Amino acid sequence: MVLVPDADGEPGAARGYRALVRPDTDKVMSVVTSAYRVADNFWVARAAVMLASQLERSAALVGACSFGRNDERTVFVVRARASNDRALLVLVYNSHGGEGAVRFFVAEADRTAGTLLTPDVPHAAVSVPHVGDMEERLDLLRYRELVPNYVAESETAWARMQDQLWSPRHTKALIKDLWGSPRPAAVIEGREVQPGESWSRHPREHLLRSLDDFDNAADAYRWLCFYVDHQSEARERGDLTEDRDERLALGAGWRLKQRIWRWIMDTVIADGA
């Protein structure tokens, strides 16, 4: 029961809400609506392994970590397939904090570069809202064939990107569309402030130099993912926010890397120029 003060300041039950309590510590993790249903971490991990096993039976849970003041949010990592330099992963985000859904993501880890690649294909993700019979709804994911469909879609896209020429013209257009133009130097109290002191350094010059070494769209995308994970402001901002560890566990700048993928597919691959 959740108590809130009434008009006279006396505690009364809040209708439509309830508290989620950790069974091992009896601590309140969060307050949720009455319609919210818990997805037990065991059910979630089992569903993730099941999805990955649809590609290879050797799929296995290889990592898990929790976040939040009361460890109410959990990330699971399942390896679906691996080689010496690449691993196909199913990443799962579960929460007992009242968020709307259990989220499953398919991504590729570049073991050599220490980078997470996030192709934005139709079967790259699926969500299961926290309503109804969660154990049954998670079990029904077996009919989605998420990982095999992801592999079919992404392998076709990777092949097209590998065959597509990448040029400085593409780099300039990408930077303009995703990062905009560099801002003029700021002047504070009569002094010109350099990037990195109180405002972000624009990546234009760095990206122009670095991407000059690549001649195809696939390698350009892989390097851009490396940049986002290890060098960009997405990583640095992650270090300064409350959810730093959580964001970095899922890969700094996940959405930005998907936007880059979609830009390449829509602008470079679609035009074929």
Side-chain angles (χ1 to χ4, degrees), residues 5-219:
D6 59 18
D8 299 322
E10 298 297 326
R15 295 183 179 180
Y17 293 89
R18 60 191 176 91
L20 289 183
V21 180
R22 283 182 64 96
D24 54 345
T25 63
D26 288 330
K27 289 185 177 180
V28 175
M29 292 188 292
S30 60
V31 175
V32 299
T33 66
S34 299
Y36 180 91
R37 294 294 180 266
V38 171
D40 189 275
N41 282 333
F42 175 77
W43 306 339
V44 174
R46 181 177 62 190
V49 173
M50 176 268 294
L51 286 172
S53 297
Q54 291 179 330
L55 184 68
E56 292 193 6
R57 295 182 63 85
S58 60
L61 180 69
V62 295
C65 51
S66 59
F67 305 97
R69 180 175 300 176
N70 296 302
D71 294 327
E72 67 271 16
R73 301 188 300 277
T74 309
V75 174
F76 298 96
V77 182
V78 176
R79 183 185 61 235
R81 185 169 65 189
S83 62
N84 290 334
D85 59 354
R86 188 70 57 85
L88 182 65
L89 306 174
V90 176
L91 305 179
V92 194
Y93 179 91
N94 187 29
S95 171
H96 298 98
E99 283 88 350
V102 182
R103 292 175 286 164
F104 297 79
F105 307 94
V106 187
E108 303 171 33
D110 185 326
R111 291 175 159 179
T112 303
T115 301
L116 201 62
L117 311 176
T118 61
D120 187 18
V121 296
H123 285 85
V126 66
S127 297
V128 180
H130 281 278
V131 293
D133 186 332
M134 290 302 297
E135 183 174 15
E136 179 181 9
R137 299 189 73 208
L138 289 167
D139 187 60
L140 288 174
L141 288 176
R142 67 178 65 252
Y143 301 108
R144 298 293 295 267
E145 295 192 345
L146 182 72
V147 180
N149 284 327
Y150 169 90
V151 170
E153 294 163 352
S154 63
E155 286 185 347
T156 299
W158 277 119
R160 294 178 66 190
M161 292 174 71
Q162 190 69 44
D163 292 338
Q164 175 60 55
L165 177 68
W166 185 267
S167 70
R169 176 173 60 86
H170 295 130
T171 301
K172 292 176 183 178
L174 171 73
I175 295 169
K176 181 180 179 181
D177 288 349
L178 269 64
W179 281 276
S181 300
R183 295 189 301 175
V187 178
I188 300 177
E189 296 181 351
R191 184 174 69 91
E192 185 175 294
V193 179
Q194 296 300 316
E197 293 185 44
S198 62
W199 54 289
S200 303
R201 182 182 299 275
H202 196 278
R204 185 177 188 276
E205 297 305 319
H206 178 59
L207 293 181
L208 285 173
R209 290 193 303 270
S210 300
L211 287 170
D212 191 50
D213 295 333
F214 299 101
D215 60 4
N216 67 80
D219 287 343

Side-chain angles (χ1 to χ4, degrees), residues 227-272:
Y227 165 76
V228 172
D229 276 344
H230 296 282
Q231 301 175 357
S232 74
E233 292 296 322
R235 171 81 187 203
E236 294 175 13
R237 282 198 300 271
D239 290 342
L240 300 175
T241 56
E242 292 181 358
D243 61 349
R244 168 190 179 277
D245 291 337
E246 191 169 345
R247 292 182 72 254
L248 298 185
L250 292 173
W254 182 291
R255 289 187 181 88
L256 176 56
K257 286 185 283 187
Q258 288 197 321
R259 287 178 60 201
I260 294 170
W261 174 278
R262 182 49 49 197
W263 187 93
I264 293 174
M265 295 302 297
D266 292 345
T267 306
V268 181
I269 304 299
D271 292 345

